[in-house]
Amino acid sequence: MKIGEVAVISQNGQQKDDFIRSICRKIDLKNERISFGKFDANDQLALHLYGLSIDDQDNDLSWDLISRKMLGYIVIFDWENQISLESIKPVVDNLSYNMRAPFIIIANIKEGKKPPIPSSFFKNKGIVLSTDFRFTFGQVNKPESARKSLRLLVDMLLERVNNF
Amino acid sequence: MPDNSDYALRPSEKLDVLYRLFRGENICDLIDNMDNTSVIGLQKFMWETAAEFGIISRKHNFSRKEITRKMKPTQQFQKEQNCDERIYFCKGTHCIHSNSECARKKIKEHIKVMSESIREYIETEQHNETFVQSTLS
């Protein structure tokens, strides 16, 4: 079986778990900082999602060790919370400069709220910030929304293949 | 001379710009705390974003001219600054290393126009979305 690995990163541990649950239906394994879920596309292909929390006090995750084999990264922050935005910034820069995989930043919108801009600006390919870096809005606890973000990541991977 | 890619903002800076932009906050204030390279990166990113949003909002009718025509003509800007350099010298990317204050002033004005254009594209799309929703309901 072929396995693709995706890292799901958030400051708020709940958001990464919500995202993994939205895709995989359940969390298979969980400790203080890492959660794990798997999605079997068929008997030949599976996606493994690793949820990582950014800890304000201890931002020493060994990205170089964790990240080498990842297909891509999904970084989540709370749109209404500037502290949440600030916390992901070093991670975003780190990933951008040190990793070659594509990544998506999801500004998570709370239940009952709407994104600040119409969906036509981000629904197809996100807001392109560079070849490997897209920004989008979403609701990570909603399976349909989480799947859209994951599809965006897959599209970015396919674009890379097409560009070779 | 650095090429265009050397002026790219860091991803976290781009994120900051979008955060402010979508909240209707002032982008020009960011310039005061940026080094020269980042200022040019900001100008470039704002152009890319304005063009991308313009294409989505205006579709085939989008032209960069609809943004540039809101900007102060270079001749007028140079006159106001008592600058007698040749007109094609008056680019932020050129003067920012020799006369940073003047170049930043010009870039600030341009970024203000681009921010306003982006806000306009967002409002147009919001209006269209509301119209489609009300037509469908």
Side-chain angles (χ1 to χ4, degrees):
Chain A
M1 181 182 250
K2 299 279 185 198
I3 295 170
E5 296 178 311
V6 174
V8 183
I9 302 161
S10 68
Q11 184 219 18
N12 173 340
Q14 185 66 39
Q15 290 171 342
K16 64 168 174 46
D17 290 352
D18 283 346
F19 186 88
I20 293 174
R21 253 186 234 106
S22 291
I23 300 292
C24 308
R25 292 191 182 167
K26 64 184 177 76
I27 305 270
D28 288 305
L29 206 67
K30 184 174 168 158
N31 67 23
E32 234 174 71
R33 294 187 58 186
I34 298 182
S35 327
F36 169 76
K38 56 184 178 181
F39 170 77
D40 292 327
N42 54 37
D43 58 357
Q44 297 291 313
L45 179 68
L47 272 182
H48 285 186
L49 270 59
Y50 298 91
L52 307 168
S53 289
I54 307 162
D55 191 323
D56 291 339
Q57 309 301 316
D58 179 26
N59 197 358
D60 65 348
L61 275 178
S62 304
W63 295 105
D64 51 338
L65 299 176
I66 291 174
S67 311
R68 286 226 186 276
K69 289 183 186 168
M70 293 292 164
L71 272 183
Y73 302 87
I74 289 174
V75 185
I76 306 163
F77 77 98
D78 180 0
W79 177 251
E80 298 293 337
N81 179 354
Q82 195 164 2
I83 295 170
S84 171
L85 169 69
E86 296 300 326
S87 74
I88 65 155
K89 281 181 181 176
V91 177
V92 165
D93 284 338
N94 190 341
L95 291 178
S96 159
Y97 292 121
N98 298 317
M99 308 302 162
R100 297 182 63 195
F103 67 103
I104 293 173
I105 295 175
I106 304 176
N108 191 49
I109 302 294
K110 282 190 182 140
E111 194 85 44
K113 297 254 181 177
K114 284 172 81 176
I117 59 169
S119 61
S120 47
F121 290 113
F122 58 86
K123 68 178 177 190
N124 292 328
K125 53 185 177 111
I127 296 172
V128 180
L129 302 182
S130 75
T131 326
D132 289 330
F133 174 25
R134 308 267 171 96
F135 173 89
T136 189
F137 288 96
Q139 287 181 314
V140 291
N141 61 346
K142 298 267 172 68
E144 193 188 339
S145 174
R147 278 198 294 266
K148 271 186 191 165
S149 303
L150 194 60
R151 270 203 297 271
L152 182 57
L153 190 72
V154 172
D155 282 345
M156 288 167 75
L157 286 162
L158 291 174
E159 278 170 24
R160 284 176 150 216
V161 175
N162 292 338
N163 290 336
F164 272 122
Chain B
M1 178 69 102
D3 73 23
N4 224 16
S5 60
D6 291 328
Y7 292 121
L9 288 184
R10 288 199 310 270
S12 61
E13 290 174 316
K14 289 183 179 178
L15 207 51
D16 227 10
V17 172
L18 292 185
Y19 189 78
R20 283 170 175 252
L21 199 56
F22 298 158
R23 286 172 176 272
E25 290 174 14
N26 191 345
I27 304 292
C28 297
D29 291 348
L30 286 172
I31 291 178
D32 297 330
N33 297 318
M34 284 180 162
D35 61 24
N36 290 342
T37 309
S38 295
V39 171
I40 300 171
L42 175 64
Q43 186 188 32
K44 186 170 165 259
F45 178 59
M46 287 298 286
W47 257 123
E48 289 163 355
T49 308
E52 197 177 322
F53 277 45
I55 289 165
I56 290 168
S57 172
R58 302 272 196 260
K59 310 208 165 43
H60 296 301
N61 297 324
F62 173 73
S63 158
R64 285 166 74 101
K65 276 187 189 158
E66 74 174 80
I67 300 174
T68 53
R69 73 167 165 244
K70 293 178 200 157
M71 292 171 174
K72 189 180 284 180
T74 299
Q75 258 172 336
Q76 190 187 334
F77 180 82
Q78 277 191 305
K79 201 174 168 187
E80 285 173 11
Q81 305 309 312
N82 295 320
C83 173
D84 50 15
E85 287 281 8
R86 279 161 287 181
I87 193 161
Y88 58 84
F89 267 42
C90 188
K91 290 179 189 166
T93 48
H94 195 96
C95 286
I96 194 137
H97 301 293
S98 55
N99 190 348
S100 174
E101 198 181 326
C102 183
R104 281 167 183 261
K105 190 174 180 185
K106 183 173 184 181
I107 290 175
K108 264 189 186 178
E109 286 184 14
H110 284 192
I111 284 173
K112 186 168 180 282
V113 171
M114 288 186 269
S115 302
E116 285 165 359
S117 298
I118 292 169
R119 288 295 333 158
E120 197 183 312
Y121 299 140
I122 291 172
E123 279 162 22
T124 305
E125 276 301 290
Q126 268 162 349
H127 178 77
N128 291 345
E129 219 170 55
T130 312
F131 177 73
V132 171
Q133 276 168 2
S134 65
T135 313
L136 293 174
S137 60

